[in-house]
Amino acid sequence: MAHIDITHSAQEGTLADGGEKGDGTGGILYAHGFRWFRSLRQYGIRSSRDRAPRLILMHTVAEQLRANGHTATVTVDGEVRDNATVRADQHERLEDRRTALEAEGQKLAKEAEVLRRRSDEMVEHLPLGQPVMPGRRGQSHRNLLNRSIDTSIRSALTAQEADRMPDRIAGSRRQEAHRERLDVTARRVDRLNTELRSLDRRMARLSLYPETGSSLLRQQYEGERAVLVERIAGDQAVLDRAVEEGRFGRYSKGNVHKGDLVKVRGQWRTVARANAKTVSVTTGYSWTDKYGWEEVAELRCSHVEDDDQS
């Protein structure tokens, strides 16, 4: 029988260490969402770094392992890392991944060139235009041509995969930059605040109906709340700093009027109505589009001091 250590920390996420191939522990872990991490040589929960530990899941897996004759322990580190540390760690992992992709692209390019040369070498001794003899007399000739063609196709496919690596690296950088945009950060704060209110309601129901909850569930909720509060505080600090520097939050219902032009997502649009949290712009049809104020990049306004929204 095997011994499994199920652990969680902000830096490493949720991992399961121990066991051997064929001892039956892998099937139990896999059934509960654990996946094999080749780089760590361990099972783990994907995207569990810097998130609250899923205590109920961890203890459920441990109980099932024990029920099948194994031994299991659950260890939880409830530390919540600040946003700056989390972002720095994520950036470092992404850079490592990009470096690996670049190396993989170079390796594939070399493999493609080797295959191309091998394909050429297979047929370079054949005179140009030499016909293939029919029947068994031309069988070896046909086999050679087929092997050359197959190798050439493999070369082309490998080169195609190598050419994709720079695009994958560039896409990774764009995605990371997108997450750091102020308008995206503002929408993330709104979403996290919504999640926090929902979580608070669930925690309140545990207090109203104690029989429906458990101490373990309450601990899990408290961990989730601590993470949400830290993420909201970190992102809100970024927005507050941008507002102080005049890089964000310049436009609102107070200084945008009907008929003004606003630049949203790279396009100038005419304002149909300024709302408390959104701006409605015309589309040329019978309906309007709504965007959050965080998406308004520039304003063209002929008003000086005018709060009339008529």
Side-chain angles (χ1 to χ4, degrees):
M1 295 294 100
H3 175 75
I4 304 295
D5 291 318
I6 303 174
T7 62
H8 177 89
S9 66
Q11 185 173 2
E12 299 296 334
T14 304
L15 300 173
D17 187 26
E20 297 179 357
K21 186 175 181 179
D23 62 7
T25 58
I28 297 173
L29 292 169
Y30 196 89
H32 288 84
F34 283 78
R35 296 296 179 264
W36 180 251
F37 295 161
R38 287 183 296 174
S39 59
L40 300 177
R41 306 296 299 172
Q42 288 179 291
Y43 282 96
I45 297 291
R46 290 174 179 167
S47 303
S48 58
R49 286 189 179 100
D50 292 300
R51 295 193 176 184
R54 299 170 61 182
L55 296 177
I56 295 179
L57 170 67
M58 296 170 69
H59 283 276
T60 299
V61 173
E63 290 174 4
Q64 187 162 350
L65 287 168
R66 296 184 190 113
N68 282 269
H70 307 288
T71 58
T73 59
V74 176
T75 306
V76 175
D77 180 354
E79 175 196 12
V80 179
R81 300 196 296 177
D82 62 272
N83 274 20
T85 302
V86 172
R87 296 287 169 76
D89 194 22
Q90 289 175 344
H91 177 73
E92 184 178 353
R93 292 199 303 271
L94 286 172
E95 284 298 324
D96 290 342
R97 176 59 177 162
R98 291 162 191 153
T99 300
L101 287 175
E102 185 177 4
E104 180 69 13
Q106 294 173 354
K107 177 183 175 183
L108 289 173
K110 291 179 181 178
E111 290 180 1
E113 180 62 18
V114 169
L115 289 171
R116 186 192 66 78
R117 291 179 180 177
R118 187 181 303 168
S119 175
D120 292 343
E121 289 171 357
M122 288 180 183
V123 294
E124 64 181 0
H125 63 283
L126 297 177
L128 292 177
Q130 178 176 339
V132 179
M133 300 295 290
R136 295 181 60 185
R137 289 180 298 172
Q139 187 63 49
S140 61
H141 190 174
R142 282 191 292 273
N143 291 342
L144 184 62
L145 291 177
N146 288 336
R147 287 199 302 272
S148 176
I149 292 171
D150 289 343
T151 304
S152 179
I153 292 173
R154 287 169 52 202
S155 172
L157 293 175
T158 304
Q160 187 179 47
E161 186 65 23
D163 292 340
R164 290 182 60 241
M165 293 304 171
D167 291 337
R168 292 178 64 181
I169 294 172
S172 174
R173 295 191 189 282
R174 286 195 302 270
Q175 187 178 32
E176 185 180 16
H178 176 80
R179 286 197 298 265
E180 299 301 321
R181 276 173 33 185
L182 293 175
D183 59 326
V184 175
T185 301
R187 290 196 294 273
R188 184 165 58 243
V189 168
D190 288 341
R191 175 176 57 80
L192 293 177
N193 274 312
T194 301
E195 292 180 10
L196 181 60
R197 290 191 295 271
S198 174
L199 180 60
D200 285 342
R201 288 193 294 270
R202 280 180 279 156
M203 295 180 71
R205 284 196 292 270
L206 289 181
S207 301
L208 291 173
Y209 308 100
E211 66 277 4
T212 64
S214 67
S215 60
L216 197 61
L217 181 59
R218 178 169 291 280
Q219 291 177 30
Q220 179 168 314
Y221 282 169
E222 289 172 349
E224 292 175 5
R225 194 179 196 285
V227 173
L228 282 173
V229 168
E230 174 58 36
R231 298 295 166 261
I232 292 170
D235 282 341
Q236 189 61 54
V238 172
L239 294 177
D240 293 343
R241 189 162 53 250
V243 170
E244 292 175 2
E245 296 171 356
R247 297 183 291 112
F248 183 74
R250 293 175 293 170
Y251 308 113
S252 66
K253 184 177 180 180
N255 58 5
V256 176
H257 316 81
K258 181 178 180 180
D260 291 348
L261 293 176
V262 291
K263 192 173 185 180
V264 179
R265 300 186 182 182
Q267 294 183 333
W268 287 99
R269 309 287 293 274
T270 302
V271 176
R273 184 171 56 259
N275 312 299
K277 293 187 177 181
T278 62
V279 58
S280 300
V281 296
T282 59
T283 61
Y285 300 96
S286 59
W287 62 86
T288 59
D289 290 336
K290 282 187 178 180
Y291 299 95
W293 288 112
E294 71 276 0
E295 295 199 62
V296 178
E298 295 182 45
L299 170 67
R300 291 178 182 171
C301 176
S302 59
H303 301 78
V304 179
E305 292 182 359
D306 185 2
D307 292 331
D308 184 12
Q309 294 299 312
S310 59

